[in-house]
Amino acid sequence: MDPGQAAVSMQDESDGKAAAVVLGRALSEPDRFAYAGLCGICLSQLFPEKEQRSFCTKFVEDLVDWLDLSKSVLPAMVAFASGLGGEGTDTFTKLLLEDPALKSNPTVVTQDLVSFSLRDGFYDSRSRVLISHVSWLLRVPPGTLEICEESLMQSLKQHTEEPSESVQASRKKKESRKKLKRYLLIGLATVGGGTVIGLTGGLAAPLVAAGAATIIGSAGAAALASTAGIAIMASLFGAAGAGLTGYKMKKRVGAIEEFEFLPLTGGRQLHISIAITGWLSTGKYGSFVAPWQSLLHSSEQYCLAWESKYLMELGNTLDTLLNGLMNVVAQEALKFTILSGIVTALTWPASLITVASVIDNPWGVCLSRSAEVGKHLAHILLSRQQGRRPVTLIGFSLGARVIYFCLQELAQESGSEGIIEDVVLLGAPVEGDADRWEPLTRVVAGRIVNGYCRGDWLLSFVYRSSSAKLNVAGLQPVLLKDRRMVNMDLSSVEQDGGHPWGSTLAQSMGVFS
């Protein structure tokens, strides 16, 4: 069965409009019980921490109501979500897959969970991680979740009501008088006879749905649009401003001189990615966007432009250092294997120390500023400048350090759960002790990927004065026992002529597929 047929079946053929029917309620009562039970057990496995208990409990309580199950099943569902149930996922998964309708089209559950998770206009990153996991258990093809999300966005746009003439007149009057940039808060605007979402959040052009994708989300969108479609879109995409691309520091924040988001793609999605460059250099990699040209993690991607003057100075100094090292290597006949041994023994040749003295100051300045930028990024995300959608952070070198300090800051703030979905840190110049990383798990719903390279002698060398034991995350695995922590040894990845971390991005992002 085509993934869109389930939604089509929910439409009211008499007037051509989608009926406000919750897809999950079309399942039999045993299947609805299995559906809710599966979600409860998965929640307990994915988020077993005590501080996540309230989220898990509320999720299953609301899901029971959404599926129109009897209130008598609530104790069982809460027990499942609390990790008290003895059932594993196999029983409920098997029951659902044996249903004739779901066996041929388990996408119905994925689609229904997306609609359920968006009902309040807050797409929690923990909900998205749960949906991904449940979809995997039900053998839903990869990529289906994004199709469901995209189609639901488009359908919400089509099902929300157009504003009245008085509202439109009021908007025009306010715009001409005060030149308001925030008129989008009101809802939808009619342009050239076609309705467009008035809640762009400053992020690219309105989404153009692809073919059958519009059909998939129509029923779920009808259920949402019948109540608060406009408010949902406003909340999701951040109506109270211009979104990430509209954010730029109006004044200096502490020691930070530059902080701005640049678009990498022109799409819009229910989850976004932010890439953070670690240094700049004259030539091919003189811009923040250059290292991320091949990044295809989502259709809505941004990169963070920060402290370019200092990152350029650092990058050019690194080039000078590397050029100087060529002479040192030739003079002392140092090979890669010998360098690795020197790194391990902490015995750097005097000539190497002399050449490298030029880097210590710009490196130290960037270490300090990256920490400040990370903290500032945390507060931007907490303010929901990006809307109420899951965010994935990806960075290399000092960009990874920005992410680390962003997570540290989020972990110290209340209400910071549900924002970050995944993070990828490549060659991170930060501490590698598990105790330092454990608090970060509270604010990351999905994966914390530490991409390290044991032979990265340059990272080891520039970090030598800051960490005498060389306990650096970018050089070794972080030994944290948590399902979120994923260590990827990238030592064997060849870096031949491209960006030092460019060839590793696809490999590291593969953990999410």
Side-chain angles (χ1 to χ4, degrees):
M1 181 185 294
D2 184 270
Q5 290 181 5
V8 175
S9 66
M10 298 294 175
Q11 292 181 340
D12 183 355
E13 300 295 342
S14 62
D15 58 7
K17 296 182 179 180
V21 177
V22 174
L23 285 177
R25 293 180 188 173
L27 302 175
S28 66
E29 187 172 9
D31 283 346
R32 280 181 283 144
F33 182 91
Y35 169 5
L38 178 62
C39 289
I41 293 174
C42 288
L43 282 169
S44 71
Q45 294 175 347
L46 293 169
F47 309 107
E49 299 84 8
K50 187 176 297 184
E51 57 267 24
Q52 303 285 0
R53 190 70 53 79
S54 61
F55 168 79
C56 297
T57 299
K58 187 176 188 307
F59 189 98
V60 294
E61 288 177 345
D62 290 346
L63 185 59
V64 165
D65 183 59
W66 175 267
L67 294 176
D68 200 23
L69 284 166
S70 168
K71 299 296 183 184
S72 63
V73 308
L74 268 178
M77 295 303 164
V78 172
F80 290 147
S82 302
L84 302 177
E87 295 286 344
T89 58
D90 291 346
T91 301
F92 289 139
T93 301
K94 183 179 179 181
L95 181 61
L96 288 170
L97 289 176
E98 286 177 349
D99 180 274
L102 290 178
K103 188 174 183 179
S104 59
N105 184 31
T107 304
V108 169
V109 173
T110 301
Q111 180 187 349
D112 190 60
L113 275 175
V114 172
S115 298
F116 168 72
S117 298
L118 296 179
R119 70 197 184 283
D120 295 326
F122 179 14
Y123 198 6
D124 194 291
S125 62
R126 292 166 292 187
S127 298
R128 193 168 196 269
V129 169
L130 172 68
I131 297 171
S132 297
H133 187 62
V134 170
S135 298
W136 176 76
L137 289 174
L138 294 178
R139 305 170 193 169
V140 173
T144 301
L145 173 55
E146 293 198 6
I147 293 175
C148 289
E149 291 172 338
E150 184 176 336
S151 65
L152 190 58
M153 272 201 306
Q154 179 66 10
S155 295
L156 270 174
K157 182 179 76 171
Q158 294 174 347
H159 284 86
T160 44
E161 297 179 354
E162 295 185 11
S164 63
E165 292 182 4
S166 60
V167 172
Q168 294 183 48
S170 175
R171 287 184 190 169
K172 292 179 180 179
K173 184 177 179 180
K174 289 181 180 180
E175 183 179 11
S176 60
R177 185 177 69 247
K178 298 181 179 180
K179 295 183 179 180
L180 286 179
K181 295 181 179 179
R182 297 184 180 183
Y183 74 99
L184 301 178
L185 281 166
I186 302 174
L188 303 182
T190 302
V191 180
T195 304
V196 298
I197 297 178
L199 303 161
T200 64
L203 307 177
L207 173 86
V208 178
T214 357
I215 302 175
I216 299 176
S218 58
L224 297 179
S226 63
T227 55
I230 296 176
I232 288 173
M233 297 301 285
S235 178
L236 285 171
F237 292 97
L244 289 183
T245 49
Y247 177 83
K248 187 175 182 180
M249 287 197 317
K250 293 183 175 64
K251 59 182 180 179
R252 185 165 172 163
V253 178
I256 304 173
E257 298 176 9
E258 181 183 5
F259 189 103
E260 182 180 3
F261 294 98
L262 305 175
L264 290 173
T265 57
R268 295 187 64 208
Q269 208 161 9
L270 285 175
H271 68 101
I272 67 172
S273 300
I274 301 174
I276 308 177
T277 301
W279 43 262
L280 302 171
S281 62
T282 303
K284 183 178 180 181
Y285 296 105
S287 71
F288 286 100
V289 302
W292 311 107
Q293 296 300 319
S294 301
L295 182 63
L296 299 173
H297 184 244
S298 65
S299 62
E300 187 173 344
Q301 301 179 153
Y302 307 89
C303 70
L304 177 63
W306 62 286
E307 307 296 75
S308 57
K309 178 175 70 175
Y310 301 99
L311 293 179
M312 182 65 76
E313 181 183 358
L314 174 63
N316 290 335
T317 304
L318 284 172
D319 287 342
T320 301
L321 172 63
L322 290 172
N323 291 333
L325 288 180
M326 294 303 100
N327 295 326
V328 174
V329 169
Q331 292 170 8
E332 303 194 13
L334 294 176
K335 303 298 181 183
F336 179 80
T337 52
I338 299 178
L339 270 175
S340 297
I342 291 174
V343 170
T344 303
L346 296 174
T347 54
W348 298 96
S351 54
L352 197 61
I353 297 294
T354 301
V355 172
S357 61
V358 297
I359 199 175
D360 287 343
N361 184 58
W363 176 252
V365 169
C366 288
L367 280 180
S368 175
R369 287 179 180 266
S370 60
E372 292 302 315
V373 168
K375 295 174 184 178
H376 186 58
L377 175 60
H379 289 284
I380 294 300
L381 296 177
L382 279 169
S383 70
R384 306 291 182 177
Q385 190 77 31
Q386 75 285 359
R388 302 175 75 86
R389 300 175 286 168
V391 177
T392 291
L393 301 174
I394 309 165
F396 68 87
S397 188
L398 289 165
R401 182 177 171 88
V402 168
I403 295 173
Y404 176 80
F405 279 92
C406 173
L407 298 180
Q408 272 198 344
E409 188 73 7
L410 287 174
Q412 297 173 23
E413 298 288 336
S414 60
S416 56
E417 300 88 352
I419 298 175
I420 305 297
E421 182 175 359
D422 299 304
V423 294
V424 179
L425 299 90
L426 303 174
V430 299
E431 297 168 277
D433 293 331
D435 290 345
R436 299 281 187 173
W437 288 65
E438 194 278 331
L440 311 186
T441 61
R442 184 176 72 83
V443 295
V444 179
R447 295 282 187 264
I448 302 174
V449 180
N450 175 45
Y452 65 95
C453 179
R454 298 182 186 277
D456 190 346
W457 58 269
L458 183 57
L459 173 59
S460 176
F461 184 65
V462 296
Y463 214 71
R464 69 193 185 285
S465 60
S466 302
S467 181
K469 295 181 180 179
L470 294 180
N471 190 15
V472 182
L475 298 171
Q476 63 190 34
V478 176
L479 303 179
L480 176 63
K481 294 182 178 179
D482 189 283
R483 63 97 185 158
R484 299 171 180 81
M485 193 74 225
V486 178
N487 289 289
M488 296 198 68
D489 188 350
L490 303 173
S491 303
S492 61
V493 178
E494 294 184 3
Q495 299 170 0
D496 49 355
H499 190 276
W501 284 109
S503 58
T504 68
L505 288 173
Q507 181 172 339
S508 63
M509 295 306 291
V511 298
F512 304 130
S513 61

